[in-house]
Amino acid sequence: MRDELRAVVERWRDRGTETGGDGAADGDGATKTDGGTETGGDTATDGGTETGGDTATTGEFRSERSRIRRILDRDIVQSAPFWLPPFLLMGFFVYAAIGWNFAISLTDYAGFGSIDYSELGFENYRAMLSDPAMWEATRNTFALLVGFTLVCLVVGLVLAILLDREVRFGRTFRTIYLLPMSLSFIVTAQFWMWMYNFNFGIVNQTLGAFGLGPYSWLGNPQLVLGSVIFALVWQFSGYTMVVYLAALRAIPNDQYEAAKVDGASTLRMYRRVIVPQLKPAMVSASVVLVLFALKAFDFLYAIWGYRPRRGADILATKMIREAFNKQEWAYASSIAILLFALSLAVIAPYLYQQHRQGNL
Amino acid sequence: MVFGETSGGIDRRTYLKLAALLGGAGSVTNAAAQDGQEWSNTLEVMHGWTGGDGAEAIDALAEAFGSEYPDMEANFRPIGGAGNVNLDQAVAQRLRAGEPPSAFAGWPGNNLVQYEGVLGDIEADVWDEAGLKEAHTEEAVEACRFQDGFSAVPIGSHRMNDLFYNVEVVEQAGVDPEGIDSFDAWVEALDAVASETDAVPYANSLEPWVVLQFWAVIMQGTQGYDAYMNFIEGEGDEEAVRASFENAQTVLSEYLNEDAPEIDFTEANQAIMAGDAAFIHQGNWVAGAYVNEGLEFGTDWGRIQFPGTENMYGLHIDSFIYPGGDLDNPSPEEAKAFLRFAGSETAHVAFNQYKGSIPTREVPTDEFSPYLTETIEDFAAAEQRPPTIAHGLAVTQDVQSDLEDALSDNFLDPYNVDAVTSRFMEIV
């Protein structure tokens, strides 16, 4: 892939010199011999250099030309049509927006007035440190992050191994497990609200059959985060399963056979031979899962709106509450920056590792 | 074409004059229409009444407005969502974008503070011109005052200190609701319900705003009007606050329905209607559901003033707010005409009889249900009208939100009275 790209770039560079030469020739109006360009692109190179020799009378002019040509010849300029438009769009809509958000977080912007940038300071960040609700939201965010990611990885792994063992209706199961992921948080939140319903929900009904409960899954501060994590795991373990399954399929059958010949039990084979080879899949899946967990906002908002039940308030819901309920824009911006920093802390090591391995 | 337009204008003017003559008493709002004023802009009113009695009420209001101003194009734009959450957000977006509606529904009082800079003054053009200051009750007038003028017009009021009950359940428990004259007497009644019936003694939701209004009514009932008013003015007595929380904890921890943390107040109200629960404290918007279900006031459901608040009317006000100030109202003339109308007797009768709220001005009560008639009489007779803390009147939006946070963090099971008391004292 990379080599091909390089070849394309080379080709473009050649083309560039060629058109540059042509341009010079046309500018002088000296030759019409360049009819060659019209008949065949390949022959034009000759015509170009020839006419160039004819017309370049002053050395100054020539060096001026060549400097421009050198600039135009650079890789970065040559490839600009490819990277520049997305760079500008991303730069403006993503990075400039982040920068602006950071600038707002340094002001005291609130309500409907205009933003006053004349006095900047870290007041909001100091306020965050002394806000007990912030600590609780941060703690919940981490609990959600870690709990959700770990459970998802384990459940996904077990499902993938089972499906990889050529079970009957394997494809059907794969679709069934993956299906919840295609639903939006709004829909799954509504599902789980019904299932967790204190009086009529299927969870309490089922437990009731064994003489347990009823439990207030979405009302009890001790249970609520666990309930949310369970619902999210239900939704996303299918994704982990697919990632693992792809990695499992890439492992040659010989290794299974070799392990068996050596007399390893199935459990031992997976533990010692197969699972260690799934590490790259695990890393990439967990990065995606952590980012999903940071965005679990939709799910919580669909159930509770601005103010989730105590125990389920995460940074994202706190941020929205500060911004849209209290109109405390600056404070909400500083929470957004914290959330951004957390995401970065998760994704940066991964990107760095990928970069070192030459995958980026 | 030109000819057609001119003759149309003359026709309309003549028609309006005739209509005014036929109609007899020409109110102030009619007078404006009689001038044959041309309405060039569309009136856009944003509100949150999308379903049930709210939708009926705004439809009735729009219809009444349409018949008084047949030439004005009016767009009553509903924004769905409970408790005005989506409405407030939609309004905020429009205000921030510099494209305000002509008027929007919202709570007056301290709730207006958040809109500083983007509200216009309508004292001369609406309040004085339509004579609303004399017509409306003093508290409603004060609530609509903002900075040096007026920025809102009241459309109705819900009562906050009703304690509703299911007649059959309390009879079965051998309780006479009329005899409940103190908080302790009420707790005894709750005990009786618990021991004599299978019903839940006290039904409600544990949403923070519900707990906030419950705490407030206990504060008014057990500590008195002055203690409550001192608190909202920032000079609260910590002991009074604590005692109110202790009382609230007694009821919530011992007599409340088990699913309270998960349900909203309409579901809790269902339990009252189904005979599964005895008492509920709510704003009197819940009474609309009793009427819709065909339940009879007095025989199926009843109400008393929350114990200790017998001489009070817990005040809640809905209003229409006028954007302006730094922003350009898209249709100032139309908006002001609408607001003059919104403060009128016609509007208050049309709107409130369906909404289940009462007018904030004196009106004939023959259009209202027996329950609302009783509420209107109580409103006029009440010695004190404490403003609600959970609906924008008593405190600003951010303080209200902080109080709800404090409740959510400290008082929604487990009940930490000390922590929530000190947070409340800090916040207000």
Side-chain angles (χ1 to χ4, degrees):
Chain A
M1 189 63 190
R2 203 164 255 231
D3 293 337
E4 267 172 55
L5 251 175
R6 200 166 293 144
V8 169
V9 171
E10 293 286 337
R11 227 174 294 146
W12 268 88
R13 188 178 303 168
D14 290 344
R15 190 76 63 88
T17 14
E18 167 195 317
T19 45
D22 280 352
D26 286 348
D28 285 343
T31 48
K32 293 214 167 166
T33 50
D34 277 354
T37 28
E38 276 172 50
T39 49
D42 286 340
T43 55
T45 329
D46 297 330
T49 37
E50 255 176 55
T51 48
D54 282 348
T55 51
T57 43
T58 56
E60 253 174 74
F61 180 70
R62 194 191 181 105
S63 71
E64 175 88 350
R65 277 283 162 194
S66 64
R67 198 180 307 142
I68 292 173
R69 194 176 305 164
R70 233 179 296 137
I71 291 172
L72 285 174
D73 277 357
R74 281 187 191 151
D75 262 3
I76 197 156
V77 178
Q78 300 266 321
S79 53
F82 297 100
W83 62 261
L84 193 61
F87 177 82
L88 289 178
L89 290 175
M90 284 290 284
F92 185 74
F93 287 111
V94 177
Y95 299 102
I98 292 171
W100 190 21
N101 187 79
F102 179 66
I104 291 175
S105 77
L106 301 178
T107 67
D108 58 355
Y109 182 37
F112 292 95
S114 50
I115 313 176
D116 176 15
Y117 291 107
S118 60
E119 275 179 53
L120 300 180
F122 287 87
E123 277 310 307
N124 288 312
Y125 294 90
R126 265 194 287 278
M128 254 161 53
L129 287 178
S130 58
D131 182 351
M134 272 302 300
W135 287 107
E136 191 164 326
T138 313
R139 211 189 57 212
N140 290 337
T141 307
F142 269 108
L144 181 72
L145 217 77
V146 175
F148 164 72
T149 311
L150 287 184
V151 179
C152 245
L153 287 174
V154 172
V155 174
L157 180 65
V158 173
L159 288 177
I161 288 176
L162 292 179
L163 284 182
D164 190 45
R165 296 186 66 83
E166 306 287 320
V167 290
R168 199 194 272 247
F169 305 123
R171 277 161 187 271
T172 318
F173 280 122
R174 201 171 61 198
T175 315
I176 290 175
Y177 293 141
L178 193 57
L179 198 62
M181 175 143 170
S182 68
L183 301 173
S184 84
F185 273 135
I186 306 297
V187 176
T188 55
Q190 194 62 49
F191 277 178
W192 283 98
M193 264 172 87
W194 286 329
M195 286 196 270
Y196 282 139
N197 183 293
F198 184 83
N199 296 312
F200 320 107
I202 193 161
V203 179
N204 275 344
Q205 296 281 329
T206 313
L207 289 176
F210 297 101
L212 295 169
Y215 296 100
S216 180
W217 297 106
L218 296 177
N220 185 333
Q222 265 93 44
L223 293 178
V224 62
L225 197 60
S227 309
V228 169
I229 290 177
F230 189 87
L232 293 176
V233 165
W234 170 82
Q235 189 167 3
F236 284 102
S237 51
Y239 164 76
T240 344
M241 176 202 73
V242 167
V243 175
Y244 276 133
L245 204 52
L248 281 171
R249 294 275 153 92
I251 297 174
N253 278 341
D254 317 2
Q255 297 192 9
Y256 293 88
E257 281 158 20
K260 262 190 204 138
V261 168
D262 287 347
S265 68
T266 310
L267 198 68
R268 202 178 164 82
M269 174 183 77
Y270 273 106
R271 202 158 58 103
R272 291 292 165 94
V273 182
I274 307 302
V275 173
Q277 298 191 53
L278 299 177
K279 202 180 145 206
M282 195 193 80
V283 172
S284 64
S286 38
V287 168
V288 173
L289 289 176
V290 166
L291 295 182
F292 271 127
L294 284 172
K295 293 193 290 189
F297 164 77
D298 317 31
F299 189 87
L300 300 173
Y301 189 77
I303 297 183
W304 288 287
Y306 283 131
R307 188 175 285 99
R309 188 83 177 107
R310 183 162 71 91
D313 194 17
I314 61 172
L315 286 172
T317 45
K318 168 100 175 142
M319 170 183 79
I320 291 293
R321 190 161 70 245
E322 292 293 339
F324 293 98
N325 192 11
K326 298 189 198 169
Q327 322 278 357
E328 295 281 355
W329 304 106
Y331 191 50
S333 295
S334 58
I335 300 177
I337 291 293
L338 176 66
L339 206 50
F340 175 65
L342 286 178
S343 310
L344 213 57
V346 171
I347 195 115
Y350 174 72
L351 290 180
Y352 180 68
Q353 186 218 7
Q354 293 284 306
H355 181 69
R356 273 184 29 162
Q357 290 175 356
N359 292 334
L360 280 179
Chain B
M1 275 315 274
V2 174
F3 175 73
E5 263 176 24
T6 326
S7 77
I10 291 168
D11 276 346
R12 193 177 63 238
R13 232 169 262 163
T14 325
Y15 165 76
L16 282 171
K17 272 179 196 156
L18 275 172
L21 281 174
L22 288 172
S27 71
V28 181
T29 44
N30 265 334
Q34 280 167 33
D35 294 341
Q37 190 164 355
E38 297 286 344
W39 306 109
S40 46
N41 299 310
T42 304
L43 174 81
E44 185 195 12
V45 179
M46 291 169 81
H47 64 86
W49 296 298
T50 48
D53 36 14
E56 274 179 54
I58 191 76
D59 284 350
L61 183 72
E63 201 184 313
F65 180 68
S67 60
E68 205 150 311
Y69 291 87
D71 294 329
M72 196 193 296
E73 263 185 64
N75 177 7
F76 289 83
R77 187 188 292 277
I79 311 286
N84 283 358
V85 169
N86 293 349
L87 172 67
D88 289 349
Q89 198 173 326
V91 166
Q93 269 167 12
R94 293 279 299 269
L95 293 177
R96 255 196 315 283
E99 292 166 4
S102 313
F104 60 93
W107 301 317
N110 278 304
N111 184 51
L112 298 177
V113 172
Q114 63 178 314
Y115 299 114
E116 193 182 345
V118 293
L119 297 185
D121 180 15
I122 48 172
E123 179 164 14
D125 293 342
V126 175
W127 282 84
D128 289 342
E129 193 176 325
L132 298 182
K133 282 181 193 163
E134 299 74 35
H136 285 266
T137 189
E138 191 192 334
E139 284 86 352
V141 177
E142 287 309 311
C144 294
R145 234 183 246 285
F146 184 55
Q147 292 174 335
D148 294 331
F150 283 79
S151 292
V153 171
I155 183 66
S157 166
H158 281 294
R159 185 174 201 170
M160 297 301 305
N161 64 330
D162 271 329
L163 184 63
F164 296 97
Y165 57 87
N166 181 307
V167 172
E168 204 180 314
V169 175
V170 295
E171 273 175 8
Q172 205 186 334
V175 170
D176 171 24
E178 298 298 333
I180 300 174
D181 53 1
S182 69
F183 184 80
D184 292 338
W186 184 43
V187 172
E188 277 170 33
L190 293 171
D191 267 331
V193 174
S195 58
E196 300 297 320
T197 72
D198 295 334
V200 172
Y202 179 70
N204 224 327
S205 158
L206 269 186
E207 286 181 82
W209 67 270
V210 176
V211 180
L212 182 60
Q213 68 185 17
F214 184 56
W215 170 82
V217 81
I218 290 178
M219 177 98 176
Q220 294 156 17
T222 59
Q223 309 298 317
Y225 175 78
D226 290 335
Y228 175 75
M229 293 307 285
N230 286 343
F231 173 76
I232 62 176
E233 277 154 21
E235 289 150 15
D237 173 17
E238 187 163 350
E239 280 316 303
V241 173
R242 186 190 311 276
S244 308
F245 272 119
E246 278 163 1
N247 288 337
Q249 181 187 3
T250 307
V251 176
L252 298 180
S253 62
E254 287 172 37
Y255 303 104
L256 188 67
N257 46 317
E258 270 187 300
D259 55 357
E262 290 190 27
I263 62 173
D264 64 15
F265 77 90
T266 55
E267 287 172 82
N269 201 33
Q270 292 286 343
I272 297 286
M273 292 190 282
D276 296 332
F279 291 97
I280 186 170
H281 166 257
Q282 265 297 344
N284 70 356
W285 41 81
V286 294
Y290 306 147
V291 178
N292 288 343
E293 291 282 308
L295 301 176
E296 284 295 320
F297 178 50
T299 54
D300 295 319
W301 62 281
R303 56 151 301 269
I304 52 172
Q305 272 101 320
F306 194 88
T309 66
E310 284 76 9
N311 51 359
M312 298 182 206
Y313 175 94
L315 186 68
H316 159 287
I317 298 177
D318 273 321
S319 70
F320 287 106
I321 301 169
Y322 177 79
D326 297 343
L327 304 177
D328 287 328
N329 192 299
S331 51
E333 290 313 313
E334 289 78 3
K336 284 169 186 168
F338 169 71
L339 292 171
R340 283 192 295 269
F341 171 77
S344 72
E345 187 183 306
T346 320
H348 274 239
V349 171
F351 183 82
N352 288 304
Q353 55 174 315
Y354 294 106
K355 182 71 174 70
S357 47
I358 63 163
T360 54
R361 54 181 291 159
E362 262 185 55
V363 298
T365 55
D366 35 330
E367 302 275 352
F368 290 87
S369 69
Y371 163 66
L372 283 181
T373 306
E374 197 179 298
T375 308
I376 291 171
E377 284 160 7
D378 281 357
F379 178 68
E383 289 167 30
Q384 291 138 350
R385 301 188 184 108
T388 171
I389 195 169
H391 307 87
L393 285 189
V395 291
T396 58
Q397 165 70 17
D398 53 337
V399 168
Q400 185 183 319
S401 186
D402 285 342
L403 292 174
E404 288 173 11
D405 277 347
L407 286 169
S408 179
D409 293 344
N410 302 302
F411 198 64
L412 304 186
D413 195 11
Y415 301 97
N416 188 340
V417 171
D418 285 335
V420 77
T421 302
S422 64
R423 283 280 295 278
F424 263 48
M425 295 303 295
E426 264 170 44
I427 293 166
V428 182

